[in-house]
């Protein structure tokens, strides 16, 4: 039933994303999105190149979240969106929250299962450990909180501002490709792959619910699962 409702809302929302470009405010949004994309990519690349345990990691990741949040709100309005699991019930934000939770747990679980396979592949395992190593230093609670805040910030920007700026030119594809390219500023192919999967899922949620609430919750839950459940898999 949930999958059917998601597919229905995805189909119904396609027409809205094909509306003609309404004009000048899109030009402004696109310029601002471009500026913040460059800033964010630089900060992300620097933050993921510091050594695990380096005190600079925390301010850099917090600064990155600030870049995405400021960019999201400066570039234009954001919509929360709504969802209904059944045709008989009108879409609402509670439905969007529930959808985000379910999808977040499902994607997080899929990554954990994938990690069990990836840990047996030497090159892939090494790349994954480069990212997960940051969870081994400092307070786990702080690392988890920062990861969740960054997940929220990324959704506000990429599935909020970037997605809106990409309309009407296939915003699911465009926003996901841009998200992957920015993620690849880290130089880590595994992180880029994770960005491609998560970005696609969240972009589909963005279109299906017409807002950032569901994808933001999915990303936050996925991030928590990655920090709490994935390091033991690669230990």
């Amino acid at each position: 039933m949930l999958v059917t409702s998601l597919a229905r809302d995805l189909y119904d929302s396609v027409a809205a994303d094909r509306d003609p470009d309404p004009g000048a405010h899109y030009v402004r949004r696109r310029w601002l999105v471009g500026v913040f994309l460059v800033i964010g990519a630089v900060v992300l690349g620097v933050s993921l190149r510091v050594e695990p345990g380096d005190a600079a990691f925390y301010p850099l990741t917090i600064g990155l979240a600030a870049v995405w949040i400021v960019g999201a709100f400066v570039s234009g309005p954001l919509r929360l969106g709504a969802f209904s699991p059944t045709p008989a019930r009108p879409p609402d934000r509670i439905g969007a929250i529930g959808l985000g939770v379910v999808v977040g747990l499902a994607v997080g679980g899929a990554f954990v299962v994938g990690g069990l396979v990836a840990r047996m592949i030497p090159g892939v395992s090494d790349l994954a450990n480069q990212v997960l190593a940051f969870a081994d230093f400092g307070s786990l609670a702080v690392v988890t909180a920062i990861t969740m805040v960054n997940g929220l910030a990324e959704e506000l920007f990429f599935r909020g501002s970037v997605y809106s700026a990409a309309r009407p030119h296939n915003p699911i594809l465009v926003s996901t490709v841009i998200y992957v390219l920015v993620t690849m500023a880290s130089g880590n192919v595994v992180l880029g792959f994770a960005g491609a999967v998560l970005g696609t899922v969240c972009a589909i949620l963005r279109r299906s619910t017409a807002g950032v609430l569901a994808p933001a919750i999915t990303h936050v839950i996925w991030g928590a699962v990655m920090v709490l459940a994935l390091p033991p898999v690669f230990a």
Side-chain angles (χ1 to χ4, degrees):
M1 183 65 72
L2 182 64
V3 174
T4 302
S5 298
L6 186 60
R8 180 198 67 228
D9 288 352
L10 177 61
Y11 176 81
D12 291 342
S13 69
V14 170
D17 280 329
R18 289 180 179 168
D19 286 344
D21 189 317
H25 82 276
Y26 262 47
V27 176
R28 176 182 176 275
R29 182 188 283 262
R30 287 167 180 166
W31 272 105
L32 287 170
V33 163
V35 169
F36 280 94
L37 276 172
V38 173
I39 296 172
V42 171
V43 176
L44 176 62
V46 173
S47 66
L48 287 175
R49 282 182 169 85
V50 300
E51 292 296 326
D54 192 321
F57 177 73
Y58 292 122
L60 282 170
T61 51
I62 293 171
L64 178 62
V67 169
W68 298 141
I69 291 172
V70 172
F73 285 101
V74 167
S75 62
L78 301 173
R79 296 181 179 179
L80 288 177
F83 178 75
S84 171
T86 64
R89 174 181 166 182
D92 57 27
R93 290 177 184 173
I94 299 299
I97 292 172
L99 178 64
V101 170
V102 171
V103 175
L105 291 173
V107 177
F111 269 78
V112 172
V113 173
L116 293 172
V117 177
R119 69 177 182 175
M120 295 182 290
I121 306 173
V124 175
S125 179
D126 292 342
L127 290 171
N129 278 315
Q130 288 176 17
V131 179
L132 297 174
F134 291 99
D136 295 331
F137 293 86
S139 168
L140 179 60
V142 173
V143 173
T144 303
I146 290 176
T147 300
M148 295 171 73
V149 169
N150 270 273
L152 172 62
E154 287 181 6
E155 291 310 309
L156 291 177
F157 186 74
F158 288 96
R159 258 60 68 178
S161 297
V162 175
Y163 185 101
S164 295
R167 294 176 61 195
H169 308 293
N170 198 338
I172 287 181
L173 177 62
V174 173
S175 63
T176 301
V177 169
I178 291 175
Y179 181 61
V180 172
L181 290 175
V182 171
T183 303
M184 285 303 298
S186 66
N188 191 302
V189 177
V190 168
L191 202 57
F193 172 77
V197 175
L198 183 66
T200 301
V201 170
C202 288
I204 290 173
L205 289 176
R206 166 64 175 84
R207 170 173 277 180
S208 300
T209 63
V212 298
L213 183 57
I217 291 173
T218 290
H219 196 143
V220 167
I221 290 177
W222 173 85
V225 171
M226 293 302 96
V227 173
L228 298 174
L230 209 54
V233 171
F234 286 90

